[in-house]
Amino acid sequence: QVQLVESGGGLVQAGGSLRLSCTASGRTFNNYAMGWFRQAPGKERECVAAIGRVGVRIYYADSVKGRFTISRDNAKNTVALQMNSLKPEDTAVYYCAADDSRIFYYTPEKYDYWGQGTQVTVSS
C-alpha cells in the first residue's frame, strides 16, 4: 500500500495561484501513476491532471490546460500541481491519488489509493 498526504490548499482570489503537493509513503513511489482529482459540491469527482510512473505520460483536463502543471519527483516521493490563473469554478476539494496498474488511466475508479483531500477556494 501507499499512503498519501496532500498540502497546499487554501483561499485565493481569481487570477491567483496555488501549489498543491502530495507526499507518498509506503511502497516504491515510481510503481505508481499519480493523479490529481477534484470534487465540487453536487458534482462528480473528476481528474484534472495525471502523470505516469516516470513523468513522461501526462494528462490534463481541457478545463485546466494551459493553467495547471503536474510534476513529480520520484527521489522525494512527491507529486505537485501548480495552479495558475485560478477561476471560481476551480473551487473544490482536491485529492491526490495513486494507481499501480501498468496502464495509464485518468478516471477515478481506476485509482486505488487516495489522500484525505485539501480544499481550494477561489473567490471572484
Side-chain angles (χ1 to χ4, degrees):
Q1 282 193 342
V2 62
Q3 293 78 43
L4 305 171
V5 178
E6 302 101 334
S7 61
L11 172 65
V12 65
Q13 289 188 333
S17 297
L18 282 174
R19 183 176 178 85
L20 305 183
S21 184
C22 174
T23 301
S25 60
R27 295 182 61 185
T28 306
F29 184 62
N30 61 9
N31 283 346
Y32 299 89
M34 300 299 297
W36 283 99
F37 296 79
R38 68 186 180 188
Q39 188 164 20
K43 294 189 176 181
E44 293 186 353
R45 190 170 297 189
E46 62 171 348
C47 183
V48 295
I51 188 166
R53 297 179 175 196
V54 296
V56 174
R57 300 196 67 176
I58 291 179
Y59 163 84
Y60 293 106
D62 288 343
S63 58
V64 307
K65 281 181 182 177
R67 300 189 298 122
F68 289 12
T69 302
I70 189 170
S71 61
R72 67 187 295 162
D73 186 336
N74 285 348
K76 296 182 179 179
N77 288 4
T78 58
V79 60
L81 185 69
Q82 178 67 41
M83 305 186 294
N84 298 328
S85 303
L86 282 161
K87 305 175 181 180
E89 50 264 43
D90 294 318
T91 296
V93 177
Y94 283 70
Y95 298 90
C96 171
D99 169 39
D100 62 359
S101 68
R102 294 187 176 274
I103 299 174
F104 184 57
Y105 292 112
Y106 41 86
T107 52
E109 62 270 19
K110 297 297 186 180
Y111 283 71
D112 300 310
Y113 307 102
W114 292 82
Q116 81 286 356
T118 185
Q119 177 70 45
V120 171
T121 302
V122 184
S123 63
S124 57

